[in-house]
Amino acid sequence: MRDVLHIEEIEQAEALLKPQRIEVLRQLAEPRTCTEVGGRLGQTAQRVYYHVKKLVEAGLVEQVSERRVRGISEGIYQACARSYWLSPRLVGRLGLRRTQDELSLGYLLDLMEEVQSDIAALDRTAPELPSIGVSGEIRVPPERRQEFVNDLREVLQDLFTRYGGAEGDAFKLAVACYPKGETHV
């Protein structure tokens, strides 16, 4: 089972984005039969099988084995991933971004789409994927914002210069800085 399945096809999204199928998919985090899932959800095995079949066709669930019960073959199914990311490209961009200025929200949205796509494409079967995620909060008074941006740019440029040689493993570095929204509890 993969960690993440990046959904870029509209057919996959349509198969996934139905409340009953999401519940079935959650039950298939562990290998189960349609009868077992039906019992957990209070549905018939036939009804669950209908949804499982659609999820299998979309590549979101797979049959991992089969067993014989009273002379009948019963499939055992499992979700293909622990989580599913919907590509922003499924909706498509409405109109053009007005600016590609690195201080614009449009630029940040483009960057996040790129990062999401890059992460989804990583080979998660590799024994170790060297990566780092850092998140924090910085408070900058309005009159010091430009100073902050300049300092950040300087620090990053120093890293790019120091580690920007032609040898070694290539890593992509993306930094996002945006206003913190209200915390919803």
Side-chain angles (χ1 to χ4, degrees), residues 14-142:
E14 287 174 346
L16 175 64
L17 296 176
K18 301 205 182 299
Q20 288 180 328
R21 289 198 191 136
I22 291 173
E23 288 305 315
V24 168
L25 193 59
R26 284 187 178 127
Q27 293 300 316
L28 293 175
E30 300 295 325
R32 293 194 170 104
T33 66
C34 292
T35 302
E36 291 168 333
V37 172
R40 291 169 158 262
L41 297 178
Q43 296 180 9
T44 66
Q46 293 81 4
R47 184 177 183 95
V48 169
Y49 179 72
Y50 169 79
H51 293 298
V52 167
K53 182 178 169 189
K54 295 293 184 186
L55 291 166
V56 168
E57 289 170 1
L60 306 173
V61 165
E62 62 188 355
Q63 183 174 341
V64 293
S65 64
E66 139 179 314
R67 67 181 180 199
R68 306 255 327 144
V69 178
R70 288 176 245 137
I72 298 173
S73 291
E74 186 174 37
I76 300 173
Y77 300 91
Q78 186 172 17
C80 292
R82 287 181 176 72
S83 62
Y84 297 82
W85 287 357
L86 295 175
S87 170
R89 291 181 184 94
L90 284 171
V91 174
R93 182 164 296 131
L94 304 177
L96 297 173
R97 297 252 197 262
R98 291 188 181 194
T99 177
Q100 287 300 312
D101 175 7
E102 63 187 16
L103 298 178
S104 74
L105 180 58
Y107 184 83
L108 183 59
L109 290 170
D110 287 343
L111 177 62
M112 292 302 102
E113 287 177 19
E114 186 179 325
V115 168
Q116 181 178 354
S117 181
D118 287 349
I119 290 171
L122 291 174
D123 179 10
R124 296 204 184 297
T125 61
E128 185 178 319
L129 290 173
S131 59
I132 183 172
V134 178
S135 177
E137 185 177 315
I138 295 175
R139 296 188 178 267
V140 181

Side-chain angles (χ1 to χ4, degrees), residues 121-165:
L122 291 174
D123 179 10
R124 296 204 184 297
T125 61
E128 185 178 319
L129 290 173
S131 59
I132 183 172
V134 178
S135 177
E137 185 177 315
I138 295 175
R139 296 188 178 267
V140 181
E143 67 274 6
R144 295 193 63 203
R145 283 186 190 148
Q146 191 58 52
E147 179 185 353
F148 168 71
V149 169
N150 292 341
D151 287 349
L152 181 59
R153 184 178 286 124
E154 187 179 312
V155 167
L156 292 173
Q157 191 57 52
D158 178 54
L159 287 173
F160 293 143
T161 302
R162 203 172 340 155
Y163 297 101

